[in-house]
Amino acid sequence: MKRFFSIRNLCTLLFLLALAFFLAVGLWPFGSTALRGARMLAEGGALDTKSLESYFNDRLSEHLHPFITLNGGVERVFGKRAVNERYRLDNGKLTYVIPELDMNKIAARTVDFAHYVEERGIPFVYVNALFYLDEDDKQLPPSIEDYGNENADRFLALLNEAGLRTLDLREREKAAGVDHYSNFFNTDHHWTPEMGFWAFTEIQAYLSGLDPSWTAEPEISDFNSYGVEVRENCFLGSNGRRVGVWYAGKDDFSVITPNFDTALEVWSSRDGCARRGTLADCLFYPELFDADPYEASLYDFYCGGDEWMDIRNLAAEKGLTYCGNGKRILLVKDSASLVVIPWLSLACGEIRTYDLRFEDERLPDLIASWQPDLVMVLYNPGALEDNNWNMFQFLR
Amino acid sequence: MLFSSTIFLFIFLPCVLLVYYGLLRSVRARNVLLLIASLLFYAWGEPVYVFLMLLSIAVNYALGLAQGTGRHKKLWLVLTVLFNLGILFHFKYLGFAAENLNALLGTFLTVPRIELPIGISFFTFQAMSYGIDVYRGQTEVQRNPLDLGLYISFFPQLIAGPIVRYNSIAAQIRERHVTPEGFQEGVCRFIRGLGKKIILANNLALAGETGFRLAAGGEISSAMAWLGAVAYTLQLYYDFSGYSDMAIGLGAMFGFRFEENFNYPYIARSFTEFWNRWHISLGRWFRDYVYFPMGGSRVSKPKLLRNLLVVWLLTGIWHGAAWHYIAWGVLFGILLSAEKLSGFPRSCKSRPVLWLYTAVTLLVVLGSMVVFGAWNIPAALVQLKAMLLLSAAPDPVAAFHWNETRWVLLLAAIFATPLWPRAEEKLPRGTAGSLIRAAVYTLVLLVSVSYLAMGAHNPFIYFNF
């Protein structure tokens, strides 16, 4: 035994230690995988070992974050621009790519949905959020193609042909001369909170242009009415989590807080209970700053995530200075909206948010019973995928 | 199950080692454990075909016993060969044969689509080796079905070799000893193989695949054709030799010594030398069981030519049921025959000529790998033509893949020479050397596992053979 535990056998000792660690880490996910396999057999099906292995890998990878970090470091040393289906742009930011997709089906469904809404006397607006890649300057590695913007162009053209009201924030961005890439995270496909605020001001201006009754106090749309605290190197976005922090680095994250009094009441399916208080009390989730960046997304700091929310602005009830326009909006949205909703909620009376990834069957009932002043759909071009979204499938 | 999978590294291997060394003492009990583990290993990837494996074990065991009676030995041998080749033909070549008969004779035979059991070419060749060795009296009949089962199904070499001949391992199944040094050698060999497969081969795969895909589409630039060919040539080597290293290493951890399967083939100075260094166990199998029985090289020149061409035709066919594998085998048959009949380069004394011939060997091997890996022969010709035309037209696809693989290509080219073992030999003896060695191997293990954590796609190329 003494002969075995000697420095000459260090490779063996380290290997056995590594195997012991692997076994300790792997046993728990393997247990749940074995149970799943037993269920497969009990239900009379064949043992699909490929799907079991994939299930095991998914469970196991939750315990292997240091290895993902290490791998990112290795890939960085190799100078690779394509890692785990993520691509490094010329400017160093990370993205995934979207193939060319048929827009006809989801455009037809959206038109049906808009007609369903308008038949009930409710205005409908489709807002096209900014996409991660600038259509005129994609910065992708050679030979890598992305069609996110092109898909959105065709989708919007189909909606416009059908006479729907659309707001393309990409056009507004070009007109405003905004630097596109500086307003997106390096490690995440989302826009920054500052850009989310900018999008809110554009939406607010658009709605006021359509109908003056949508006008709210200009201070709510003035960025100078807010304080900004920039937390440095604290955010690892979804693309960064795929390739590890040594490859991706980390982003700064801004906390934007109104300098004026606010009062909201928020019900969200994430919390399962009501929150009452200021905008920060109700819509900020500061505990995410302390969470494991591989486990939780700091992007959810605003609104807590994509689950549905009912946000009531109590400013008028409380007699505050800035009360908004009192309108009620049903917002059908993707995650791009999380950094738009807080400011929009200050400018109107009530917002109910709806994410089609979680549920869609209650949507027609909600429209009929709640009768909002506006149904707004806000999607980014990356979300225009039929399989992902089942966009308004319930109408067909 | 793959060696380079999380389920193997995180569950299977630690559990088998733990039970093997922690709970069992006798060789018999350990053999039973290894047999059960091997069947589980195979069943994980091929739940249905494990019954084929069991059938193969049972039939080869029974035919071995029949040979042991001493009567009708030749008949039992013929049945052994027919049974094993029959399995192989049914699963691997039936569809190909029907397809070509239909094309050639205008018949309308149904072309079956049969899923290939992984590693079938390896375990059927091993089973045949047992029957032939018993017939030749080179080994005794195995009367313990579990031990024969272990020989045919032993998981380290079960699905991608090396092809272990029965007479080289029969004694080790009965009795074997593991020393700390032997175990450590196994550990290092396993980690080396894992690194070869995961860090080098997998990282080269995309460039090789892209080259073949573009060539199959009929349009490929010179740059991409070359890059794809080089990447695939190195990928194939690291994929297969990495698997062999892992198999040999795992065998050593359980006290087995397997034959070497690769010996730096890309430094070969002739085609004959290349094949003495590439897939050595397959070459020896064909030499011992096909080439020598046909008379080997101690026959007239026409017969020698016939013997060589038959062996290389069979080598090509063994690799797959497709014409490009057959062409690849025949190509090497012609090249090796030319060397054998001419005596070149053995008879050549001129160093510049020998250097030139070494370069030509490497280039032809590179071209042969294009034939081997291409989707079909026309696609291979498209890629070879693009390589020969040497157009300097810029190609963004090639630029992208060059950026992605250049450092891995460099590492792969360096480690395709015997640099690693020489560097290990130069390590200082004692504590410092052990620490450096342990640090390097630990790093390779951790980086390899990091790729597994990323869920990298990593099928072994040789599973299909």
Side-chain angles (χ1 to χ4, degrees):
Chain A
M1 199 53 114
K2 195 179 168 191
R3 194 176 149 224
F4 183 74
F5 287 105
S6 84
I7 195 85
R8 289 171 59 182
N9 295 323
L10 194 56
C11 286
T12 300
L13 295 171
L14 290 173
F15 181 69
L16 293 179
L17 265 178
L19 285 191
F21 167 75
F22 294 161
L23 187 61
V25 170
L27 270 180
W28 183 253
F30 186 72
S32 61
T33 307
L35 279 177
R36 198 181 169 91
R39 262 203 307 276
M40 262 182 201
L41 290 174
E43 286 163 9
L47 198 65
D48 181 358
T49 52
K50 283 192 181 78
S51 79
L52 285 179
E53 193 161 342
S54 165
Y55 178 80
F56 173 73
N57 285 336
D58 286 347
R59 302 282 88 74
L60 183 70
S61 65
E62 292 163 12
H63 306 282
L64 298 180
H65 298 150
F67 285 96
I68 294 172
T69 302
L70 171 65
N71 189 268
V74 174
E75 299 288 45
R76 194 171 185 148
V77 168
F78 283 155
K80 290 175 78 168
R81 292 187 65 179
V83 177
N84 208 11
E85 295 172 357
R86 294 298 181 271
Y87 300 93
R88 191 184 276 287
L89 304 182
D90 294 341
N91 57 25
K93 289 171 182 282
L94 294 171
T95 191
Y96 54 90
V97 293
I98 293 173
E100 193 166 13
L101 298 169
D102 177 15
M103 293 288 113
N104 289 310
K105 201 157 86 179
I106 60 170
R109 281 185 190 157
T110 309
V111 170
D112 285 350
F113 177 65
H115 289 161
Y116 175 89
V117 169
E118 285 172 343
E119 279 164 13
R120 280 151 187 79
I122 304 166
F124 175 92
V125 174
Y126 184 91
V127 180
N128 183 57
L130 299 180
F131 186 53
Y132 194 81
L133 298 176
D134 183 342
E135 192 164 16
D136 302 325
D137 181 21
K138 290 186 178 172
Q139 308 233 1
L140 284 163
S143 86
I144 304 300
E145 302 287 349
D146 178 275
Y147 295 93
N149 280 305
E150 289 77 359
N151 290 338
D153 290 342
R154 280 182 282 115
F155 180 73
L156 289 172
L158 290 166
L159 299 196
N160 289 330
E161 260 175 43
L164 265 53
R165 268 189 292 270
T166 61
L167 168 62
D168 188 352
L169 288 175
R170 296 174 305 170
E171 289 173 4
R172 299 285 178 125
E173 185 198 35
K174 294 279 177 211
V178 176
D179 176 28
H180 180 83
Y181 285 108
S182 64
N183 290 297
F184 278 85
F185 291 110
N186 296 325
T187 67
D188 195 82
H189 59 290
H190 291 110
W191 49 17
T192 59
E194 287 88 343
M195 202 58 181
F197 188 91
W198 172 86
F200 151 67
T201 61
E202 291 295 325
I203 292 167
Q204 183 57 26
Y206 176 77
L207 294 176
S208 306
L210 287 180
D211 177 353
S213 69
W214 281 87
T215 307
E217 294 89 345
E219 286 81 0
I220 296 174
S221 308
D222 182 357
F223 198 62
N224 294 319
S225 307
Y226 295 77
V228 181
E229 183 196 354
V230 179
R231 305 265 191 111
E232 290 181 354
N233 289 320
C234 60
F235 176 37
L236 184 64
S238 60
N239 291 327
R241 288 199 291 276
R242 291 282 298 238
V243 298
V245 69
W246 284 357
Y247 185 88
K250 278 188 177 177
D251 277 296
D252 299 341
F253 193 88
S254 298
V255 177
I256 303 171
T257 317
N259 290 332
F260 51 90
D261 291 335
T262 55
L264 299 175
E265 182 184 60
V266 176
W267 229 101
S268 76
S269 58
R270 173 187 167 120
D271 292 340
C273 63
R275 288 184 176 208
R276 272 171 169 257
T278 63
L279 179 135
D281 296 334
C282 295
L283 290 178
F284 290 1
Y285 288 76
E287 64 270 25
L288 290 172
F289 277 107
D290 303 321
D292 180 344
Y294 283 101
E295 296 288 345
S297 173
L298 186 56
Y299 181 73
D300 293 349
F301 172 85
Y302 295 98
C303 300
D306 287 309
E307 291 89 344
W308 74 265
M309 304 180 95
D310 182 352
I311 307 167
R312 287 181 58 218
N313 186 354
L314 305 179
E317 262 179 61
K318 301 272 182 189
L320 303 181
T321 314
Y322 305 126
C323 304
N325 53 35
K327 299 280 190 184
R328 297 180 307 156
I329 301 175
L330 175 64
L331 178 64
V332 181
K333 53 86 182 174
D334 67 6
S335 56
S337 306
L338 298 188
V339 291
V340 179
I341 291 168
W343 337 117
L344 197 58
S345 71
L346 299 178
C348 62
E350 186 172 358
I351 301 178
R352 293 187 185 184
T353 69
Y354 223 90
D355 193 315
L356 294 175
R357 285 173 296 183
F358 296 102
E359 51 185 337
D360 58 18
E361 285 167 8
R362 290 192 317 118
L363 192 52
D365 298 338
L366 183 63
I367 292 165
S369 62
W370 189 44
Q371 287 286 314
D373 298 312
L374 174 75
V375 171
M376 178 158 64
V377 177
L378 196 160
Y379 273 26
N380 91 91
L384 298 174
E385 192 189 347
D386 189 38
N387 291 338
N388 231 0
W389 297 88
N390 294 320
M391 203 184 245
F392 312 124
Q393 197 163 307
F394 55 88
L395 288 171
R396 290 253 156 162
Chain B
M1 197 181 294
L2 306 177
F3 296 156
S4 56
S5 69
T6 50
I7 200 92
F8 181 82
L9 270 180
F10 282 71
I11 302 292
F12 185 87
L13 183 59
C15 287
V16 174
L17 281 172
L18 196 65
V19 178
Y20 189 90
Y21 286 108
L23 300 180
L24 307 174
R25 288 288 172 266
S26 73
V27 174
R28 182 170 289 269
R30 286 176 166 181
N31 284 352
V32 171
L33 168 73
L34 289 180
L35 174 62
I36 294 168
S38 298
L39 293 174
L40 275 174
F41 178 88
Y42 195 72
W44 184 259
E46 302 276 345
V48 177
Y49 285 144
V50 76
F51 295 106
L52 176 72
M53 168 73 65
L54 289 169
L55 176 74
S56 171
I57 292 169
V59 172
N60 281 293
Y61 174 72
L63 290 168
L65 285 183
Q67 284 207 56
T69 61
R71 284 177 294 169
H72 313 300
K73 277 185 83 172
K74 201 163 198 166
L75 171 68
W76 303 124
L77 172 68
V78 170
L79 284 177
T80 301
V81 172
L82 282 179
F83 170 74
N84 287 298
L85 288 182
I87 291 179
L88 196 56
F89 181 81
H90 174 77
F91 285 100
K92 193 165 175 177
Y93 302 106
L94 189 60
F96 177 70
E99 211 171 272
N100 283 285
L101 278 176
N102 286 343
L104 199 67
L105 307 174
T107 52
F108 297 96
L109 297 171
T110 309
V111 178
R113 300 273 168 240
I114 303 170
E115 199 185 330
L116 189 69
I118 55 174
I120 190 168
S121 304
F122 292 93
F123 72 75
T124 51
F125 266 46
Q126 291 207 165
M128 271 195 285
S129 144
Y130 165 68
I132 298 169
D133 287 353
V134 169
Y135 174 78
R136 288 174 173 173
Q138 290 174 341
T139 189
E140 289 177 11
V141 174
Q142 179 54 267
R143 299 198 180 273
N144 183 340
L146 301 181
D147 284 356
L148 184 71
L150 177 60
Y151 163 66
I152 293 177
S153 67
F154 190 28
F155 73 86
Q157 31 72 342
L158 171 61
I159 42 186
I163 299 169
V164 178
R165 283 163 307 156
Y166 185 71
N167 60 20
S168 74
I169 204 173
Q172 297 177 50
I173 292 175
R174 281 194 302 276
E175 194 177 349
R176 58 187 178 273
H177 299 286
V178 187
T179 61
E181 292 75 24
F183 190 92
Q184 171 146 295
E185 200 42 55
V187 165
C188 293
R189 194 71 187 264
F190 177 79
I191 295 174
R192 226 153 53 212
L194 193 68
K196 277 177 163 184
K197 163 65 184 159
I198 295 181
I199 302 172
L200 298 177
N202 286 0
N203 270 315
L204 293 168
L206 191 59
E209 281 169 19
T210 304
F212 293 135
R213 181 171 47 78
L214 291 174
E219 273 189 44
I220 184 169
S221 68
S222 280
M224 193 62 228
W226 274 99
L227 182 60
V230 173
Y232 182 74
T233 301
L234 288 166
Q235 183 207 350
L236 187 65
Y237 167 62
Y238 284 109
D239 188 280
F240 193 17
S241 76
Y243 189 95
S244 296
D245 283 343
M246 285 188 267
I248 292 167
L250 286 167
M253 286 185 220
F254 295 108
F256 288 89
R257 285 184 65 82
F258 296 150
E259 289 178 70
E260 289 299 328
N261 214 17
F262 287 88
N263 183 22
Y264 302 100
Y266 295 146
I267 62 165
R269 284 161 296 186
S270 67
F271 301 109
T272 308
E273 189 184 343
F274 173 77
W275 272 100
N276 286 333
R277 291 171 174 271
W278 177 276
H279 204 171
I280 298 165
S281 64
L282 180 71
R284 286 191 182 154
W285 197 99
F286 275 115
R287 183 196 65 191
D288 291 351
Y289 299 123
V290 180
Y291 185 66
F292 284 169
M294 289 172 77
S297 53
R298 293 176 183 172
V299 289
S300 63
K301 280 195 174 176
K303 279 191 176 168
L304 173 62
L305 190 64
R306 177 205 66 186
N307 293 352
L308 283 167
L309 287 177
V310 166
V311 165
W312 287 102
L313 179 67
L314 291 176
T315 302
I317 293 172
W318 181 90
H319 278 88
W323 285 107
H324 62 113
Y325 292 125
I326 295 170
W328 178 78
V330 170
L331 171 72
F332 275 107
I334 293 167
L335 293 168
L336 268 78
S337 301
E339 284 185 353
K340 195 103 183 165
L341 294 173
S342 68
F344 186 84
R346 253 185 322 173
S347 56
C348 180
K349 301 283 182 239
S350 161
R351 285 180 79 89
V353 172
L354 287 174
W355 277 108
L356 187 66
Y357 193 67
T358 301
V360 169
T361 301
L362 189 58
L363 283 174
V364 173
V365 166
L366 187 75
S368 78
M369 293 307 179
V370 171
V371 177
F372 186 88
W375 291 13
N376 47 45
I377 289 178
L381 294 176
V382 167
Q383 187 160 351
L384 289 171
K385 187 177 160 195
M387 288 167 75
L388 288 171
L389 287 178
L390 279 179
S391 152
D395 174 13
V397 180
F400 170 69
H401 285 289
W402 170 248
N403 180 73
E404 296 304 290
T405 53
R406 61 204 155 140
W407 295 113
V408 183
L409 277 171
L410 181 67
L411 281 180
I414 290 170
F415 289 123
T417 66
L419 189 85
W420 182 302
R422 280 183 197 160
E424 272 198 282
E425 280 168 19
K426 292 262 164 64
L427 281 180
R429 294 190 186 279
T431 305
S434 294
L435 285 173
I436 294 170
R437 205 166 183 242
V440 170
Y441 279 102
T442 304
L443 184 66
V444 173
L445 177 67
L446 293 180
V447 171
S448 301
V449 173
S450 81
Y451 277 99
L452 295 185
M454 298 285 271
H457 174 64
N458 63 10
F460 280 98
I461 297 172
Y462 259 72
F463 275 17
N464 298 322
F465 299 142

